[in-house]
Amino acid sequence: MNKGNILQGPMGLMLMVVSAIVALAAFGYAFLDLQSAGHRSFNTTSQIPWGQPIATYLYFALASSGLGMIAALSLVFGFKQFLPIAKRAIYLSVVILLAGMAVLAMELGHVFRMLWVIPLNMQIHSAMFWMGVFYVADLIFLLWKFQKMEGQEWDSKTSKQIGIASFLAVLLASGNLALVFGMMSMRPFWFDGLMPIYFYLTAVASGLAAVVFFTYLAYGFNRNAMPERTRVMFEGPMGKLFAAVLGATVLFILVRAYTGFYTNTPEVNVVWREFLFASPVYQASLWLGIVAPFVVMLIAGLRSNPSLQVLVSMAVFAGLFAERYFFVVGGQVVPLFRGTWEWGLIQYTPSLTEWTLTIMGSAMLFALYAAGERFLNLSDMPAEPATPEGAVAAA
Amino acid sequence: MTKWGMVIDLDKCTGCQACTTACAMENNTLPGENWQDVLYYSEGTYPTAKLTWLPRPCMQCENPSCVAVCPTKATYKDMDAGGIVFVDWNKCIGCKYCMIACPYGVRFYADEKPVVEPDIRDVFPGEGQLHAPPYQGPESDSVRGIGIQPKGVVSKCTFCYHKVSKAPEGVADLDEDNPDTKEYTPACVRTCPPKARYFGDLDNPESEVNRLIADQRGVRLKDHTGNRPQVYYLGSGADVPAYQSPKKT
């Protein structure tokens, strides 16, 4: 146990209890709403069937995948500088995926029916079927890997094999999630063969934001309280990795936006012009949540500053959440037939119940994370120092 | 094997919405949950503005994207039922992916805010079904999405399968003018005042629908998506104009 970890003391208990209360209250509110009014408590319609709860699920699921990929840096690829966050990343990956699944469950019309109807019908043509299969496999391998770490089995053959399997499951799950959108030729804003690459990049970006924020949180936002190897990682390679991933994300958004502004296809052009870039919220999330953090991380003198790292992680958290929201809604705002029911872009604003689900998922994440810090040693890492090969490779 | 198809002649259609009303009454749909609708849209500006309309049932596609995406096989194409696409309400989990995948916007998730007030579901509350209106179609088949739907499932036009399925075997056309087949003709076809709709077997070379498609060059909506609808349009205006921002018109 690490003495600098404030979440192992009263602070952690308080965070866990408060977050659990918020999560339960939010669940109770949404549950009662759904029981009494059904999905009338949502602002989604038959024209925009997927709203903020789906965007929240997407955000959490991809952040989970990103965390799995970050853990793989040290556990699969041997970048041992990132070992200090491997266990925390795996744990966060599990709990954020659970939070996402909880939000998704509240969005579905019949969640329990899903448990028997999917395995009994084996609709292998559906990307959503495979998304379910791969995310369940992902969750199992993550838990298995975590169990090995709990047993101090860092380098055994089985542990390594599970790590590789977990990494593959993460790739398949998030790649498939991308295909759920990317294969929709009738929704041109989403229709993109490179969607899995975009999802991988943004997944790692949101995963980095999560692991940076939650690691700092564990140590009371005081880097000096971190164990030596964790501190060294945050002083060096973490900022560089963050810069690289954010840079690639900016590039990808830029290319998509450029194509969007150029094309005549209304479902793409109008969405970029009149829905995304016309929205001050989107503009703010793009410039302050992704571009500005990239610039900060690009400057060598700034990227290792602890306060800026926390700020950047929070900005990227918010920026990518908005990115997911605008992505999900953006694919649906142009009516399939402009006419009787919609003359302009379809209007959608999340309802209170939909916001409550986002709050429920977030609070659930904080509560489970605080429990993890309290009862499981998430700062744990192998006792051996980094090997020279790993250090060179990571550098 | 029978492959039911519909032909809609846009040169005859007056946009009167009788089909929409007949469908709603036949299938007990909620106000705004229009399995069959006539959409109005405009092109150009005064004095050369053009108002057109498009009757739009479910296209019962030959290669339906909604079927491929459904993770539970709740939505399926039944070749034995003339190639009609159904939703099995006992299997639907309400993920709404089929609604995303349908290029025609003809699927509904009725468990949402009412399009028209008052909310009929509150006026006629139902036990185990979305609502319980005074008149309910006597035939219901939840495996084919016929009847009043329960909560949390997706619904859609069934080509009035509860009527069509009782048609004499091997019949080429279901025509409201033919006393032998009028009872089996889909409600929207039967009620159409200018007789702009035709319903028949696309696999039968003798059918009127095949003759019309061939003679009058029937087209299918958004055929580039590869869905290959079993609904064909005749006449001018079958090409729906691309979306244009209202600001630009």
Side-chain angles (χ1 to χ4, degrees):
Chain A
M1 296 283 164
N2 189 288
K3 287 191 177 123
N5 191 328
I6 61 160
L7 295 184
Q8 288 170 357
M11 280 296 287
L13 184 65
M14 196 174 76
L15 179 67
M16 188 172 73
V17 172
V18 170
S19 303
I21 290 170
V22 172
L24 282 172
F27 169 76
Y29 178 84
F31 181 78
L32 287 177
D33 251 8
L34 286 166
Q35 285 299 305
S36 56
H39 280 73
R40 269 178 280 180
S41 50
F42 285 16
N43 279 350
T44 48
T45 65
S46 287
Q47 300 205 41
I48 294 212
W50 284 355
Q52 181 158 309
I54 293 292
T56 307
Y57 161 71
L58 186 64
Y59 179 72
F60 281 166
L62 286 178
S64 164
S65 298
L67 284 157
M69 292 181 210
I70 293 162
L73 283 176
S74 53
L75 302 175
V76 177
F77 298 106
F79 292 97
K80 294 198 184 296
Q81 287 97 328
F82 292 100
L83 261 179
I85 51 159
K87 193 174 177 188
R88 184 171 282 113
I90 293 273
Y91 182 77
L92 275 170
S93 182
V94 170
V95 296
I96 205 165
L97 184 56
L98 290 175
M101 286 174 166
V103 174
L104 180 66
M106 299 290 278
E107 202 273 345
L108 294 175
H110 285 281
V111 62
F112 295 111
R113 180 179 289 175
M114 182 176 72
L115 301 176
W116 63 266
V117 86
I118 290 181
L120 284 185
N121 287 282
M122 294 301 288
Q123 172 54 307
I124 56 168
H125 294 292
S126 171
M128 195 178 268
F129 168 83
W130 290 110
M131 179 193 81
V133 169
F134 291 137
Y135 265 113
V136 169
D138 177 28
L139 187 59
I140 291 168
F141 282 122
L142 283 171
L143 285 168
W144 197 354
K145 183 70 194 169
F146 190 79
Q147 184 246 338
K148 288 284 173 198
M149 289 168 150
E150 274 290 282
Q152 294 298 316
E153 220 183 291
W154 291 86
D155 268 334
S156 74
K157 196 179 168 192
T158 322
S159 177
K160 280 182 178 167
Q161 283 170 344
I162 296 166
I164 292 167
S166 178
F167 178 64
L168 291 176
V170 159
L171 286 185
L172 288 169
S174 49
N176 225 274
L177 184 54
L179 294 180
V180 166
F181 297 92
M183 293 197 298
M184 294 292 101
S185 64
M186 60 298 291
R187 303 278 181 181
F189 180 69
W190 295 335
F191 186 48
D192 188 346
L194 292 181
M195 198 50 74
I197 310 296
Y198 173 63
F199 272 31
Y200 290 151
L201 277 174
T202 48
V204 176
S206 51
L208 278 172
V211 82
V212 168
F213 176 80
F214 282 112
T215 308
Y216 271 102
L217 177 66
Y219 296 99
F221 299 105
N222 176 13
R223 198 157 73 193
N224 292 327
M226 292 179 184
E228 172 71 9
R229 284 161 66 190
T230 313
R231 190 172 53 74
V232 169
M233 185 200 67
F234 274 97
E235 281 169 359
M238 183 54 99
K240 289 179 191 170
L241 179 65
F242 220 152
V245 171
L246 284 175
T249 303
V250 169
L251 184 69
F252 220 109
I253 292 174
L254 198 71
V255 170
R256 268 177 65 78
Y258 183 76
T259 330
F261 277 106
Y262 185 80
T263 180
N264 269 351
T265 309
E267 290 88 345
V268 182
N269 179 278
V270 171
V271 173
W272 280 102
R273 208 162 25 87
E274 292 180 25
F275 181 65
L276 299 180
F277 273 82
S279 159
V281 179
Y282 181 77
Q283 292 268 6
S285 69
L286 176 65
W287 300 109
L288 301 177
I290 298 169
V291 177
F294 167 58
V295 173
V296 169
M297 287 288 114
L298 202 59
I299 299 168
L302 300 180
R303 68 169 158 252
S304 54
N305 180 303
S307 305
L308 284 176
Q309 285 185 342
V310 174
L311 258 178
V312 158
S313 68
M314 290 166 74
V316 170
F317 238 100
L320 281 175
F321 182 80
E323 190 68 29
R324 303 284 184 237
Y325 171 85
F326 281 94
F327 174 80
V328 168
V329 179
Q332 305 166 73
V333 286
V334 175
L336 292 166
F337 296 92
R338 182 173 66 115
T340 306
W341 299 99
E342 291 296 342
W343 290 95
L345 292 181
I346 303 170
Q347 300 298 312
Y348 165 75
T349 312
S351 69
L352 181 61
T353 311
E354 290 174 280
W355 272 109
T356 307
L357 290 182
T358 303
I359 292 166
M360 181 194 84
S362 309
M364 194 177 154
L365 166 63
F366 272 87
L368 290 171
Y369 168 68
E373 287 288 358
R374 191 169 174 79
F375 301 114
L376 307 160
N377 184 11
L378 300 186
S379 309
D380 203 11
M381 62 190 104
E384 290 297 308
T387 62
E389 296 81 26
V392 170
Chain B
M1 192 178 278
T2 306
K3 184 165 83 177
W4 293 119
M6 190 181 285
V7 168
I8 302 174
D9 189 339
L10 295 173
D11 285 344
K12 286 186 178 175
C13 174
T14 60
C16 70
Q17 294 278 23
C19 49
T20 307
T21 311
C23 172
M25 293 174 73
E26 180 71 32
N27 295 293
N28 286 119
T29 56
L30 289 167
E33 181 200 1
N34 296 320
W35 289 2
Q36 147 62 47
D37 200 354
V38 181
L39 301 172
Y40 291 85
Y41 47 92
S42 62
E43 272 286 279
T45 51
Y46 178 83
T48 55
K50 185 175 76 167
L51 179 69
T52 45
W53 50 89
L54 180 83
R56 185 196 58 175
C58 171
M59 304 289 147
Q60 318 292 354
C61 306
E62 288 175 14
N63 188 22
S65 46
C66 55
V67 169
V69 301
C70 176
T72 67
K73 283 190 182 164
T75 196
Y76 62 103
K77 187 171 175 69
D78 191 343
M79 297 312 292
D80 294 332
I84 298 175
V85 177
F86 296 111
V87 182
D88 184 341
W89 285 336
N90 301 326
K91 284 185 185 175
C92 178
I93 57 169
C95 72
K96 302 172 275 288
Y97 196 17
C98 55
M99 297 166 71
I100 293 288
C102 172
Y104 306 101
V106 291
R107 289 175 161 259
F108 294 85
Y109 190 70
D111 188 15
E112 58 192 19
K113 280 194 174 57
V115 178
V116 181
E117 294 282 2
D119 193 340
I120 296 298
R121 291 166 295 192
D122 292 334
V123 180
F124 302 113
E127 285 281 325
Q129 56 184 31
L130 265 181
H131 64 138
Y135 169 77
Q136 298 186 37
E139 285 141 302
S140 71
D141 181 358
S142 58
V143 173
R144 295 184 192 276
I146 296 167
I148 297 176
Q149 69 242 52
K151 285 181 183 175
V153 298
V154 171
S155 66
K156 66 177 282 294
C157 155
T158 63
F159 260 1
C160 281
Y161 181 72
H162 56 286
K163 290 156 77 76
V164 170
S165 57
K166 293 175 188 140
E169 206 168 320
V171 69
D173 292 289
L174 296 181
D175 186 353
E176 71 274 18
D177 290 337
N178 180 350
D180 293 336
T181 59
K182 78 172 182 184
E183 284 302 323
Y184 317 121
T185 309
C188 59
V189 179
R190 188 174 170 186
T191 203
C192 180
K195 198 173 170 60
R197 289 184 182 233
Y198 303 85
F199 193 85
D201 183 1
L202 294 170
D203 270 358
N204 188 331
E206 305 298 319
S207 69
E208 179 74 356
V209 285
N210 270 330
R211 190 189 63 75
L212 288 166
I213 292 164
D215 290 357
Q216 297 189 41
R217 286 181 285 185
V219 297
R220 307 194 271 202
L221 232 48
K222 296 190 180 185
D223 216 12
H224 66 276
T225 61
N227 276 33
R228 303 176 61 82
Q230 285 174 212
V231 174
Y232 289 75
Y233 289 87
L234 309 177
S236 57
D239 296 323
V240 180
Y243 179 91
Q244 191 180 8
S245 167
K247 289 175 196 163
K248 279 193 163 185
T249 54

